Amino acid sequence: MDIEEFRKAGYQAIDRICDYYASLQERPVVSQVQPGYLVDALPSNPPEQAEDFNSIADDFQKMILPGITNWQHPNFFAYFPTACSLEGILGDLYSSSVSNPGFNWLSSPACTELEQVVMDWCAKLIGLGDHFLNKSGVGGGVIQTTASEACIVICVAARARYVRENPEAKLEDLVIYTTTQTHSLGVKAGLVLGLEVRALPVKPEDEYGLRGETLHQALAEDHAQGKRPFVLIGTVGTTSSGAVDNLEEIGEVLKEHPSIWLHVDSAWAGVAMACPEYRAFGKLDAINKYAESYDTNFHKASMRLNSWGLVNFDASMLWVRSRKNLTDALDVTPEFLRTKQHDAGLVVDYRNWHLGLGRRFRSLKVWFVLRRYGIEGFRKHIREGVELNEYFASLVRASPSFELVTTPSLALSVFRLTLPPSVSSELEGKDETTVRTAQNDLNRAFHTRISAHSDKIFLTQTMLNDTFCVRFAVGAQRTRKAHVDAAWELVQENAREATEEWLQQRTKV
Ligand SMILES: *Cc1c(COP(=O)(O)O)cnc(C)c1O
């Protein structure tokens, strides 16, 4: 492709991207293709001869787009909010245009220095303390691909620090602490590193957040058995229900155990701290006081509606109190990667702050987005997302057929159907398990039914201890009050049908 061909193909690509967004509302929310649809349709070998670019671009429209689940669709209420902004897309485009692996300062000084600057901007945006800033020269921030990878990086650094401080420790005795509500990133880190993971229990009466007392007990048990917990992955805003661990209590318990590293995963909720009124919810003070590291995904930062969102996938922001803990664990510098700027201590070489060597120029899209929105715009969008979820929660509260399982958490509500009055009275006096099983069955039937309409709406389910629930996560950039109203209609309609059918089956049995 020469430059003039690129110019034409580029204009066409932008046109098609614009058309895609303009027609988003008419597309199915969840891709409706069957497994193997693309594998069967594509040749099993690469083409022998070069193909015309137009036919390649056309195949994106014909073959790829139908297999895309439209996370930006206004009726997407599943998983967590995910972002994609036109500014972010342009940032990625410019980043591709200067494609380079940016692994050390010299390989492209702008890649490193822009990342240092935007990580400090983001830290200030959400209120992190000065000790997390790159400017501090001691702590600092780095963009990782995902929260899961950030968690592995942290476990590697925490393990190296622990073994340095406790040279007699055997690797097989090391334990990663999580809770039963921690994202699977904890288990993943354990698998990758070959380390035991212990999931501490949490209770419904604590809204599924970890308490200091539970941690204290677990530590006593494990230490008595010669085990060595070395890192605790705390969460602010679990994926399942938006639960928040009691970081104040945890921090106090860990004061007695300074070798244990506290990492806080706030992958989807963290950006809400851009608004001062959500900082108490986000446990900002405790994070600044106790956390050794903190991670939030700016690519999940799309709790907004009126306009295009924020940073598109991927941009997981990781901050550490001490950058030396990362580089002590991850610095490998073969001769060919040495530079005089690094040897002189003048520059940051981010390759020693993460797992890979090369890295994408992600700071560019963050920079574009933050400048286009400003702090004010960022806050506005977050507030709108939270308000919309509060609206949904108010509809649930007002309906006798539904209940909220936990207090709504920012842009996430966890709810379920209540048992119909006839079944409630039939089960009166029965044990808790029988009642819960019946309610779980009913809600499974409801979720199965609404999932059959995945072209129109997408909600995901979760288990909170033994309770089956349905999640409503606001976030797609075009979601407005009217979409929440329409979603609520669909929820009610499917609930009615599912309940009727479930009741019929019950009487048959
Ligand atoms: C989404 C999410 C993750 C995983 O994020 P990745 O960046 O995809 O690894 C981890 N923790 C929480 C709380 C999440 O919501």
Side-chain angles (χ1 to χ4, degrees):
M1 184 176 278
D2 63 25
I3 291 182
E4 284 315 310
E5 277 178 289
F6 174 74
R7 196 186 301 276
K8 262 176 71 186
Y11 288 147
Q12 185 195 47
I14 296 289
D15 273 343
R16 288 182 172 183
I17 292 169
C18 294
D19 293 345
Y20 168 75
Y21 279 105
S23 67
L24 202 50
Q25 175 114 39
E26 287 99 66
R27 294 176 181 272
V29 184
V30 176
S31 167
Q32 302 292 303
V33 301
Q34 295 303 312
Y37 95 100
L38 190 59
V39 172
D40 292 343
L42 293 181
S44 42
N45 289 299
E48 207 63 54
Q49 256 86 48
E51 294 187 56
D52 177 48
F53 187 77
N54 276 331
S55 65
I56 304 171
D58 287 348
D59 281 349
F60 176 82
Q61 304 294 113
K62 275 198 272 205
M63 305 174 90
I64 304 299
L65 276 185
I68 297 293
T69 285
N70 295 298
W71 283 62
Q72 320 311 327
H73 198 291
N75 297 337
F76 188 99
F77 300 106
Y79 305 109
F80 41 76
T82 188
C84 180
S85 63
L86 298 180
E87 290 85 350
I89 293 174
L90 290 173
D92 261 352
L93 191 61
Y94 282 116
S95 151
S96 298
S97 76
V98 292
S99 176
N100 76 86
F103 47 74
N104 59 12
W105 179 84
L106 188 62
S107 72
S108 269
C111 297
T112 297
E113 295 197 13
L114 186 63
E115 186 159 330
Q116 289 178 287
V117 171
V118 299
M119 285 305 288
D120 281 3
W121 281 15
C122 291
K124 289 178 182 170
L125 176 69
I126 61 175
L128 291 181
D130 289 349
H131 53 282
F132 284 118
L133 300 183
N134 285 308
K135 262 244 151 85
S136 72
V138 180
V142 55
I143 308 181
Q144 306 275 336
T145 56
T146 59
S148 306
E149 201 169 306
C151 180
I152 294 171
V153 165
I154 287 306
C155 289
V156 169
R159 177 176 65 180
R161 187 184 78 171
Y162 188 89
V163 173
R164 252 190 338 269
E165 291 175 359
N166 303 273
E168 75 292 354
K170 293 204 212 74
L171 285 184
E172 63 264 32
D173 292 332
L174 298 186
V175 186
I176 297 172
Y177 270 11
T178 65
T179 79
T180 54
Q181 297 301 308
T182 305
H183 186 272
S184 56
L185 52 60
V187 172
K188 188 67 135 306
L191 280 176
V192 171
L193 300 173
L195 297 171
E196 184 180 336
V197 178
R198 179 169 177 190
L200 307 182
V202 290
K203 302 191 202 98
E205 57 267 34
D206 298 323
E207 297 261 358
Y208 301 94
L210 177 64
R211 299 298 300 265
E213 184 49 36
T214 310
L215 173 63
H216 180 78
Q217 261 182 29
L219 285 170
E221 285 162 21
D222 277 332
H223 286 148
Q225 291 185 30
K227 298 271 187 198
R228 291 169 174 275
F230 71 99
V231 62
L232 168 66
I233 301 163
T235 311
V236 172
T238 59
T239 317
S240 204
S241 70
V244 177
D245 289 334
N246 194 321
L247 296 182
E248 295 87 358
E249 291 181 7
I250 290 168
E252 284 305 308
V253 172
L254 291 182
K255 264 190 183 165
E256 308 290 312
H257 307 274
S259 302
I260 302 180
W261 182 306
L262 175 61
H263 174 61
V264 177
D265 170 31
S266 194
W268 75 259
V271 291
M273 293 201 301
C275 303
E277 68 269 31
Y278 303 130
R279 289 181 179 171
F281 175 90
K283 301 271 181 213
L284 179 66
D285 289 345
I287 289 161
N288 282 332
K289 193 162 168 200
Y290 303 112
E292 197 57 47
S293 53
Y294 176 79
D295 187 81
T296 184
N297 284 345
F298 266 62
H299 62 252
K300 283 179 174 173
S302 73
M303 292 182 276
R304 76 259 164 272
L305 35 149
N306 293 333
S307 134
W308 299 105
L310 307 174
V311 181
N312 44 322
F313 189 76
D314 51 358
S316 191
M317 310 327 222
L318 173 68
W319 287 274
V320 290
R321 195 174 276 270
S322 158
R323 63 179 73 175
K324 196 164 175 303
N325 284 324
L326 291 182
T327 53
D328 278 352
L330 295 164
D331 188 351
V332 274
T333 307
E335 185 55 34
F336 64 89
L337 287 178
R338 283 186 60 191
T339 61
K340 68 173 191 289
Q341 295 87 353
H342 182 82
D343 287 351
L346 294 174
V347 295
V348 160
D349 282 351
Y350 269 132
R351 70 192 157 79
N352 296 325
W353 295 44
H354 67 134
L355 296 180
L357 170 65
R359 50 210 320 281
R360 295 178 57 217
F361 189 9
R362 295 188 184 84
S363 55
L364 198 59
K365 63 190 174 192
V366 183
W367 189 50
F368 279 24
V369 167
L370 289 180
R371 290 182 62 185
R372 271 290 285 162
Y373 277 77
I375 295 176
E376 211 179 88
F378 201 106
R379 287 182 175 154
K380 180 163 177 276
H381 292 303
I382 284 169
R383 289 181 180 131
E384 282 166 341
V386 176
E387 272 165 30
L388 214 51
N389 182 48
E390 275 164 10
Y391 173 62
F392 179 80
S394 74
L395 296 173
V396 175
R397 274 196 201 98
S399 162
S401 312
F402 292 90
E403 63 190 5
L404 291 168
V405 184
T406 53
T407 311
S409 174
L410 301 173
L412 173 66
S413 286
V414 181
F415 70 107
R416 62 178 172 167
L417 269 168
T418 50
L419 285 171
S422 62
V423 180
S424 282
S425 42
E426 177 198 320
L427 295 180
E428 215 177 294
K430 288 264 166 49
D431 61 296
E432 203 186 314
T433 314
T434 309
V435 178
R436 188 174 43 232
T437 306
Q439 199 171 356
N440 282 355
D441 285 350
L442 170 65
N443 277 283
R444 276 206 184 86
F446 161 57
H447 186 254
T448 305
R449 180 166 280 267
I450 202 157
S451 301
H453 299 285
S454 65
D455 55 330
K456 296 206 193 73
I457 186 169
F458 191 22
L459 301 176
T460 42
Q461 78 281 23
T462 193
M463 284 301 278
L464 284 176
N465 291 356
D466 297 321
T467 303
F468 182 92
C469 343
V470 181
R471 299 164 73 263
F472 185 88
V474 183
Q477 50 270 71
R478 303 198 134 188
T479 305
R480 291 155 213 249
K481 188 157 171 283
H483 297 111
V484 175
D485 283 328
W488 179 237
E489 280 304 313
L490 274 173
V491 163
Q492 286 178 301
E493 190 183 305
N494 283 281
R496 267 195 304 275
E497 289 163 5
T499 306
E500 252 166 55
E501 205 177 273
W502 182 74
L503 282 172
Q504 274 166 17
Q505 269 173 5
R506 245 181 101 79
T507 41
K508 255 191 246 150
V509 177

